[in-house]
Amino acid sequence: MHITPIQIRFNDVDQMGHVNNAVIMEYLDLGKDAFFSSHGLSPVKSDFTVMVVHYEVDFRRQIRYHDTIHVSTEVERFGTKSLTLMQRVVDEESGDVCVECRTVMAGYRRSTSASEAIPDEVREWLSR
């Protein structure tokens, strides 16, 4: 599991005093980027990459401006050409899960512009 600390910015908060749901999706993207980069799979530099094909998001609890949060990211399962990530936005003080997101991502080869099975090497990297 990879943990990405998140700094909540003033402009992340809407008029209701909580972090806007669209901004939370940006936090999840930061977690994905950090997760893949920490496992040697640069989303912008690698010929092989993965792309989002499906999201399922449950917003369980509001996140407020002064909350201290992080995003946890891990591979939940591998398919032949896809993987499913499980991400959680967690309030560090209470331990509450504020958001839970499952993201299905498909393997993609930039040089051929085609979907591709996830190489064994990538599976090994992401399983660590």
Side-chain angles (χ1 to χ4, degrees):
M1 177 184 315
H2 186 271
I3 302 294
T4 305
I6 300 294
Q7 179 181 353
I8 299 172
R9 301 164 299 177
F10 177 77
N11 62 323
D12 293 349
V13 179
D14 64 19
Q15 293 179 356
M16 299 299 293
H18 67 269
V19 175
N20 185 282
N21 288 356
V23 173
I24 293 169
M25 299 306 291
E26 293 177 17
Y27 296 167
L28 295 169
D29 284 345
L30 288 170
K32 279 191 266 318
D33 179 55
F35 172 77
F36 288 119
S37 293
S38 74
H39 287 84
L41 185 64
S42 171
V44 293
K45 294 181 182 175
S46 303
D47 186 35
F48 177 83
T49 191
V50 289
M51 56 179 34
V52 173
V53 295
H54 180 75
Y55 279 119
E56 288 179 28
V57 184
D58 292 310
F59 299 97
R60 302 193 182 282
R61 196 196 84 159
Q62 292 185 48
I63 301 170
R64 299 210 170 264
Y65 180 64
H66 293 290
D67 291 345
T68 303
I69 60 171
H70 70 258
V71 174
S72 67
T73 305
E74 61 188 325
V75 176
E76 186 175 66
R77 68 176 288 285
F78 286 103
T80 302
K81 286 188 170 186
S82 68
L83 60 87
T84 302
L85 288 183
M86 171 54 75
Q87 292 185 283
R88 292 178 177 90
V89 180
V90 178
D91 181 309
E92 292 187 354
E93 186 176 318
S94 68
D96 291 344
V97 175
C98 305
V99 177
E100 195 168 66
C101 178
R102 277 189 176 81
T103 305
V104 179
M105 304 184 83
Y108 181 80
R109 178 76 55 189
R110 291 180 205 278
S111 59
T112 61
S113 298
S115 67
E116 185 175 305
I118 298 174
D120 290 339
E121 176 182 82
V122 172
R123 289 171 189 271
E124 183 181 319
W125 292 340
L126 298 179
S127 296
R128 292 183 199 157

